[in-house]
């Protein structure tokens, strides 16, 4: 299986699929092609929420603001999974998740560079570099990646880890990692901070809001603070947009205080 993830929208992913279909009969599954454009951190976050639910596969990820520059192409192996994409950090958070899910340590992964020469386009490496690489890795086998002439082990790659929230007693200061299509503002504050607070209230940047387990536990249009499926504190509105109601956007600092 080969999965595809990008910020390309349409129709660019179709060209990647065409390249893969010419090279292999692997099953292809789309993760998403509407990640926020050129937002490496948002893509990295959503990959951690999706790829760990897949069986072993080759995951081709192309969110690549540096396309056409001298940034490397990578193949990363985490147990039975391989990830193919640009060397800009987008692959590393989910790599650690995949390693841990296979009962390995979070650092139990291997990084390889993938050599390529003169792709047809300097602006579409998804089609000309990463799709062919994903097909080749799939047919070679994840466990045999190092036998490919194009690969070389690397310990010089762009790493990325999500920032940690500062939790001190009854106060947590973090930031909004992403805002989903519903307008839910996902923070990096761990959900454990709200333990035993459901049914009560907290102050978000000084303004009180109820803490509830479900969006519909408050009236339509009312703000709430909850813990999303990702396990982090989330600012939301029942059938509305939490980012607008709380006045936040991606990257903003948020302070939550227990009242």
């Amino acid at each position: 299986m080969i999965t595809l993830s990008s910020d390309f929208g349409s129709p660019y992913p179709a060209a990647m699929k065409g390249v893969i279909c010419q090279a292999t009969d692997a099953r292809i599954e789309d993760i998403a092609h509407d990640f926020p454009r050129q937002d490496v951190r948002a893509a990295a976050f959503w990959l951690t929420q999706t790829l760990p639910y897949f069986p072993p596969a080759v995951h081709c990820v192309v969110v690549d603001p540096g396309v056409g520059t001298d940034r490397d192409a990578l193949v990363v192996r985490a147990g039975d999974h391989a990830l193919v994409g640009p060397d800009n950090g987008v692959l590393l958070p989910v790599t650690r998740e995949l390693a841990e899910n296979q009962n390995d340590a979070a650092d139990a992964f291997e990084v390889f560079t993938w050599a390529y020469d003169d792709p047809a386009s300097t602006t579409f490496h998804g089609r000309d570099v990463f799709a062919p690489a994903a097909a080749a890795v799939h047919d070679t086998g994840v466990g045999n990646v190092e036998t490919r002439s194009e690969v070389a082990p690397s310990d010089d790659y762009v790493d990325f880890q999500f920032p940690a929230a500062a939790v001190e007693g009854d106060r947590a200061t973090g930031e909004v990692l992403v805002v989903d299509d519903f307008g839910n503002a996902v923070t990096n504050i761990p959900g454990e901070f709200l333990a035993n607070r459901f049914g009560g209230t907290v102050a978000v940047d000084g303004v009180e809001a109820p803490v509830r387990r479900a969006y519909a536990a408050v009236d339509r249009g009312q703000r709430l603070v909850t813990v999303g499926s990702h396990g982090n504190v989330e600012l939301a509105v029942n059938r509305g947009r939490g980012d607008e109601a709380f006045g936040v956007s991606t990257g903003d600092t948020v302070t939550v205080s227990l009242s």
Side-chain angles (χ1 to χ4, degrees):
M1 179 190 300
I2 297 175
T3 73
L4 298 180
S5 303
S6 76
D7 58 354
F8 289 161
S10 177
Y12 297 110
M16 295 175 62
K17 291 181 182 180
V19 169
I20 291 170
C21 288
Q22 289 193 63
T24 178
D25 60 359
R27 172 182 168 188
I28 302 174
E29 292 289 343
D30 291 303
I31 304 302
H33 295 293
D34 58 354
F35 288 142
R37 298 293 169 84
Q38 303 181 337
D39 190 335
V40 170
R41 185 168 79 162
F45 176 82
W46 291 120
L47 291 171
T48 67
Q49 303 304 305
T50 53
L51 297 190
Y53 295 96
F54 275 77
V58 176
H59 307 288
C60 183
V61 178
V62 192
V63 176
D64 191 15
V67 63
T69 68
D70 61 357
R71 63 93 186 90
D72 286 331
L74 297 184
V75 177
V76 184
R77 179 167 57 197
D80 295 330
H81 294 262
L83 298 101
V84 177
D87 182 17
N88 59 18
V90 68
L91 304 179
L92 272 296
V94 70
T95 294
R96 293 188 173 90
E97 293 279 345
L98 292 170
E100 288 183 318
N101 283 359
Q102 295 177 98
N103 299 316
D104 292 327
D107 60 354
F109 58 86
E110 299 163 277
V111 179
F112 306 88
T113 56
W114 181 273
Y116 59 91
D117 294 315
D118 300 322
S121 170
T122 59
T123 63
F124 196 3
H125 284 186
R127 178 194 65 194
D128 299 333
V129 176
F130 299 118
V137 170
H138 177 273
D139 280 3
T140 301
V142 172
N144 297 315
V145 167
E146 59 268 47
T147 67
R148 300 283 315 187
S149 62
E150 301 93 337
V151 307
S154 175
D155 58 7
D156 182 20
Y157 53 86
V158 177
D159 199 353
F160 173 71
Q161 298 187 49
F162 297 112
V167 179
E168 298 179 358
D170 291 342
R171 180 186 177 95
T173 300
E175 65 180 89
V176 177
L177 293 178
V178 295
V179 176
D180 69 18
D181 286 349
F182 291 97
N184 301 315
V186 181
T187 77
N188 62 344
I189 299 173
E192 292 83 358
F193 180 70
L194 296 181
N196 303 317
R197 302 302 300 185
F198 290 99
T201 61
V202 294
V204 179
D205 292 336
V207 180
E208 286 199 349
V211 182
R212 301 292 185 267
R213 296 187 183 277
Y215 305 116
V218 299
D219 292 337
R220 182 170 184 163
Q222 184 177 358
R223 303 192 310 173
L224 71 147
V225 178
T226 191
V227 177
S229 60
H230 35 71
N232 294 352
V233 173
E234 181 179 293
L235 312 180
V237 168
N238 180 18
R239 304 190 194 185
R241 295 193 62 91
D243 58 339
E244 295 176 356
F246 285 91
V248 297
S249 59
T250 301
D252 284 353
T253 299
V254 173
T255 298
V256 179
S257 304
L258 305 180
S259 53

